[in-house]
Amino acid sequence: MASTYSFDIVSDFDRQELVNAIDQTQREVKTRYDLKTTDTEIELGEDNITINTDSEFTLQTVHTVLQQKAVKRNLSLKIFDYGKIESASGSRVRQVITLKKGISKEIGKDITKLLRDELKKVQGSIQGDAVRVSSKSKDDLQEAIALIKNQDWPVALQFTNYR
């Protein structure tokens, strides 16, 4: 039996689910009567999504469709970091949506500080872009998960490697 138990807090998303959500969005854009003639392009890059369309109104509509498809595929909307809307050639607009992945140092510090202040028997440590939480009791780890879930963090958090 292990003397200490632990789990990792990470901020990640299922890339294949994102690919599927974007594919569904593209199909809906091509078939919807109000978006069919806009010649909208949605491109998935390594760490961003680029939307190129004919107006800001159409861009907002595409955002709505993309968000609906992402939610249906259990993707958090916190992974999307919407950039500035830019003018593109031919009176079109372009927007780059950065995909947020990993926990920043500041958020990691906030998580470990919250654990230190609220739960005395739990230790949190920052390990790269994840936070490892350890304790001698599984019950304390369950309390830590509940405490972290009750907070509103600027990134989507998942709990992995529970052992």
Side-chain angles (χ1 to χ4, degrees):
M1 193 98 155
S3 60
T4 61
Y5 302 99
S6 68
F7 67 88
D8 293 336
I9 304 170
V10 297
S11 178
D12 202 359
F13 57 89
D14 186 347
R15 183 150 180 98
Q16 186 58 49
E17 290 296 340
L18 180 65
V19 168
N20 294 340
I22 290 175
D23 184 46
Q24 287 180 334
T25 303
Q26 287 173 329
R27 274 193 257 133
E28 184 165 331
V29 165
K30 288 177 183 164
T31 58
R32 265 179 59 165
Y33 70 95
D34 59 337
L35 299 175
K36 203 183 292 186
T37 60
T38 61
D39 197 28
T40 300
E41 299 170 7
I42 305 170
E43 295 177 31
L44 175 62
E46 192 63 36
D47 58 351
N48 62 21
I49 301 168
T50 305
I51 301 174
N52 190 339
T53 189
D54 68 346
S55 69
E56 285 191 37
F57 178 75
T58 308
L59 183 64
Q60 296 305 322
T61 307
V62 172
H63 283 180
T64 305
V65 173
L66 177 61
Q67 290 169 355
Q68 289 170 349
K69 302 302 179 187
V71 167
K72 282 185 181 175
R73 298 200 153 271
N74 294 326
L75 292 171
S76 173
L77 297 181
K78 292 180 180 180
I79 66 171
F80 300 126
D81 184 18
Y82 296 95
K84 205 176 76 174
I85 298 173
E86 309 166 347
S87 295
S89 61
S91 73
R92 296 175 60 81
V93 293
R94 177 186 316 123
Q95 185 176 36
V96 176
I97 304 170
T98 306
L99 301 171
K100 291 195 275 189
K101 200 175 201 180
I103 298 175
S104 68
K105 290 279 188 217
E106 295 80 29
I107 296 171
K109 287 178 184 176
D110 292 343
I111 291 172
T112 55
K113 182 179 183 325
L114 176 71
L115 292 172
R116 239 189 350 263
D117 294 346
E118 298 291 327
L119 303 170
K120 302 299 178 207
K121 296 181 181 178
V122 175
Q123 296 83 38
S125 62
I126 300 171
Q127 298 187 340
D129 59 356
V131 176
R132 166 122 340 135
V133 180
S134 57
S135 175
K136 293 189 180 208
S137 165
K138 286 185 177 182
D139 293 336
D140 292 338
L141 291 182
Q142 293 290 345
E143 277 184 58
I145 290 173
L147 176 68
I148 292 168
K149 280 185 176 180
N150 286 337
Q151 304 292 318
D152 185 28
W153 301 99
V155 294
L157 297 178
Q158 293 84 32
F159 304 96
T160 61
N161 295 336
Y162 188 88
R163 43 186 135 160

